[in-house]
Amino acid sequence: MLKVQIKGQANQVTSFINKLQQRPEIEVDCHEKQWKGMYGRKDVEVTCYVRLFPETNIQRVSLLATNGKEIVIPMWDVLELELDDGKKIIAGRSFDIFGVR
């Protein structure tokens, strides 16, 4: 577990904590009396305890080939963007254990 001290304008601190809490591989526990009712530009300081679960940020990306076979690629830190025409852009990190050195 990590102890994180966050200082800054209340609206930025709140936004940062909310974004951290949206990550499935991160669990954030902040003292409620410190962070309850924080808004505006006043300076605040919050102490949070953070647990990392790195195995949860691995996702399996499945692609369907034209011959009907499924290709599965394990990826870390996957970001997915859907375009207006139904197409998707998928980005992330992967590696090939059989790659040439």
Side-chain angles (χ1 to χ4, degrees):
M1 184 182 313
L2 301 171
K3 181 178 179 180
V4 180
Q5 188 171 354
I6 306 167
K7 295 180 183 181
Q9 292 181 349
N11 56 351
Q12 292 177 340
V13 170
T14 302
S15 176
F16 178 75
I17 292 171
N18 286 335
K19 287 180 182 176
L20 272 182
Q21 290 176 330
Q22 291 174 0
R23 307 276 314 202
E25 73 273 13
I26 297 175
E27 181 181 296
V28 181
D29 180 26
C30 296
H31 295 296
E32 186 155 332
K33 60 183 167 184
Q34 282 185 322
W35 111 281
K36 194 174 186 179
M38 290 189 344
Y39 56 89
R41 296 182 182 264
K42 65 181 177 182
D43 286 335
V44 296
E45 181 177 327
V46 177
T47 301
C48 297
Y49 294 90
V50 179
R51 284 187 189 88
L52 300 175
F53 303 101
E55 65 278 356
T56 60
N57 67 350
I58 299 173
Q59 295 180 7
R60 295 176 47 169
V61 176
S62 298
L63 305 172
L64 189 59
T66 55
N67 63 2
K69 292 188 177 183
E70 182 181 31
I71 302 167
V72 178
I73 305 168
M75 296 183 83
W76 289 268
D77 302 327
V78 174
L79 297 173
E80 185 176 325
L81 176 67
E82 188 165 350
L83 303 176
D84 290 334
D85 58 0
K87 295 181 183 176
K88 293 182 180 181
I89 296 173
I90 299 172
R93 297 183 301 138
S94 185
F95 64 92
D96 181 3
I97 62 171
F98 303 107
V100 179
R101 291 183 181 195

